[in-house]
Amino acid sequence: MLHLLRRVVNRLDPLFIIFVLIPTVAAILYYGVFASDVFISESKFVVRSPEKSSPSAIGLLLKGAGFSNAGDEIHVAQGFLDSRDALRELDRDGQFRRAYSRPTISVFNRFDPLGWNGTFEALFKYYKSRVGVEYDAGSSITTLTVRAYQPGDARKFNEQLLRMAEVTVNRLNSRGRQDLIQFANAEVEIAKNQARDAALALSAFRNAKGLVDPDKQAVIQLQMISKLQDELIATKTQLRELREYAPQSPQVPVLVTRIAGLEEEIGRQSGLIAGDQKSLAASAAQYQRLILESQFADRQLAAAMASLQEAQNEARRKQAYVERIAEPNLPDEALEPSRFRSMLTTFMLSMIIWGVASMLLAGIREHRN
């Protein structure tokens, strides 16, 4: 029998042995004997938000029901599942490493079969080959698949990863609410300080000048000057009549003195309204500036408080969450590897490569001849 086999092999083309026979035999041995059965657990979920819109048909349907798909949160959840933190959380007590290092798993599929490289980075590379996260932009559905060599392991790790995605989205919500309200609170505190400083500056000005409102005070001063001028005109008229009809009357010196007093008082009152730096006109400019600053600070405070209220309402509404569409399944049949198809694919590819190599070699020989 061995002699017959040796004679058959000796008659075969060496290229056929190298490109077809050896790869095909290796594939038959690997897929037929050594490769371990792989069980796949799959789950599906979406991340919903009551605010954001989605252009897809499902998104429009959800929007009609008062919900839409959350764009940022889904990418954050997907990024977390693909991260080292997810593996570190999943392998906190070494369960992931133990599940994929069992002696029952083929040495070709087991993690670190020879014990040469059991580092975390090597485990993360292995984790990436066993956990898949796919996001469908059309339906906004994320599919999470876990490949394991025990059906229970595949389902357990899928469930744990799904919970971690939910925790990540919840943590993102909490952080977003805190940042939103903290920023609004900071704006309110700044506006409060500005309003207080403006009010204190206005109060200090009033205390220093002894004025409540220079404009109203100027109106009172003008009314007083007007009355003094009326009285001055009447006194001058009376004096002119006495000098005309009774120039020796003792009332004449009295009226002259009174006219002088009225003119002096009118000049003094006019000086209080406009004149030096202490006049009402000079104080009115500074008062108007302080009033404008105070009013502007009050408006800023009102706007900041309105923004804070809006931020609080926004934080209450902004609640993205993970909605499970399909729970992690417990596979009852190994879906991988596809043994026969893989063997056939290897054989077909080997035949193609052998054919191409034979044609190239024949061309080279013909060129030499």
Side-chain angles (χ1 to χ4, degrees):
M1 184 67 181
L2 291 176
H3 179 69
L4 179 61
L5 182 61
R6 190 179 298 112
R7 288 181 60 186
V8 172
V9 170
N10 289 335
R11 290 181 180 179
L12 291 177
D13 183 2
L15 288 179
F16 183 82
I17 296 175
I18 295 172
F19 290 110
V20 178
L21 186 60
I22 294 177
T24 304
V25 171
I28 292 173
L29 289 175
Y30 175 74
Y31 291 108
V33 178
F34 297 110
S36 298
D37 290 338
V38 178
F39 297 88
I40 302 176
S41 178
E42 183 180 277
S43 63
K44 295 179 183 292
F45 65 92
V46 296
V47 179
R48 286 184 176 180
S49 171
E51 292 181 83
K52 299 175 182 178
S53 62
S54 172
S56 67
I58 294 180
L60 293 174
L61 182 62
L62 295 174
K63 185 178 179 180
F67 296 95
S68 62
N69 300 309
D72 298 337
E73 290 81 358
I74 187 62
H75 295 303
V76 170
Q78 183 179 356
F80 177 78
L81 293 176
D82 283 333
S83 71
R84 292 173 175 78
D85 289 343
L87 173 59
R88 194 172 289 108
E89 185 72 19
L90 197 65
D91 193 45
R92 177 168 293 179
D93 56 354
Q95 60 172 346
F96 186 83
R97 187 185 297 265
R98 288 195 301 273
Y100 288 91
S101 302
R102 290 193 179 99
T104 55
I105 303 174
S106 167
V107 69
F108 295 101
N109 305 120
R110 190 189 315 161
F111 170 69
D112 192 23
L114 303 178
W116 291 350
N117 188 9
T119 62
F120 182 80
E121 288 300 325
L123 183 63
F124 178 66
K125 186 177 180 181
Y126 187 87
Y127 166 84
K128 295 276 287 183
S129 67
R130 297 297 182 270
V131 176
V133 184
E134 294 183 2
Y135 174 68
D136 186 351
S139 62
S140 300
I141 295 176
T142 301
T143 302
L144 173 63
T145 56
V146 176
R147 289 171 167 80
Y149 300 99
Q150 293 290 336
D153 290 341
R155 182 182 183 180
K156 179 178 67 177
F157 293 138
N158 198 317
E159 175 67 28
Q160 291 182 357
L161 288 172
L162 199 55
R163 289 179 183 171
M164 283 192 281
E166 293 172 346
V167 171
T168 301
V169 172
N170 292 335
R171 184 171 64 246
L172 195 67
N173 280 332
S174 177
R175 180 64 180 273
R177 287 196 299 269
Q178 290 177 2
D179 290 347
L180 194 63
I181 294 177
Q182 283 180 358
F183 179 77
N185 274 324
E187 291 294 321
V188 169
E189 289 300 320
I190 293 173
K192 282 182 178 178
N193 292 333
Q194 291 177 343
R196 184 181 63 250
D197 293 342
L200 290 175
L202 184 60
S203 177
F205 168 81
R206 284 170 171 164
N207 292 331
K209 299 293 183 180
L211 296 171
V212 176
D213 189 337
D215 293 336
K216 294 181 179 178
Q217 190 71 22
V219 172
I220 296 174
Q221 294 294 120
L222 289 173
Q223 291 176 348
M224 183 180 300
I225 291 173
S226 178
K227 291 180 180 179
L228 291 174
Q229 287 177 340
D230 292 342
E231 188 174 353
L232 176 62
I233 293 172
T235 305
K236 284 183 176 179
T237 302
Q238 186 178 1
L239 176 62
R240 187 168 53 251
E241 290 175 351
L242 283 176
R243 282 176 175 174
E244 182 70 23
Y245 300 106
Q248 300 302 322
S249 172
Q251 291 295 324
V252 173
V254 175
L255 292 176
V256 171
T257 303
R258 188 175 180 181
I259 288 172
L262 289 171
E263 289 176 345
E264 182 181 358
E265 183 62 20
I266 290 173
R268 193 178 68 83
Q269 293 296 331
S270 298
L272 291 176
I273 295 175
D276 55 11
Q277 294 296 325
K278 296 182 179 179
S279 66
L280 290 175
S283 300
Q286 185 178 1
Y287 175 78
Q288 288 297 331
R289 180 178 60 81
L290 293 174
I291 281 291
L292 288 175
E293 290 178 355
S294 179
Q295 292 175 348
F296 181 72
D298 290 341
R299 292 193 186 98
Q300 278 191 319
L301 177 59
M305 294 186 72
S307 298
L308 175 60
Q309 182 66 37
E310 185 178 355
Q312 291 173 342
N313 296 334
E314 185 86 359
R316 281 192 289 269
R317 289 195 303 267
K318 196 174 185 179
Q319 292 287 337
Y321 61 92
V322 172
E323 178 72 26
R324 296 188 182 192
I325 296 178
E327 295 286 344
N329 66 300
L330 180 63
D332 57 356
E333 181 185 1
L335 299 180
E336 292 181 354
S338 301
R339 300 180 188 276
F340 180 74
R341 187 176 64 183
S342 299
M343 293 178 195
L344 183 60
T345 301
T346 303
F347 175 72
M348 296 299 293
L349 289 176
S350 299
M351 289 295 291
I352 293 173
I353 294 173
W354 171 67
V356 173
S358 298
M359 291 177 64
L360 288 175
L361 186 60
I364 292 172
R365 287 173 179 171
E366 184 179 356
H367 180 71
R368 285 182 178 177
N369 294 332

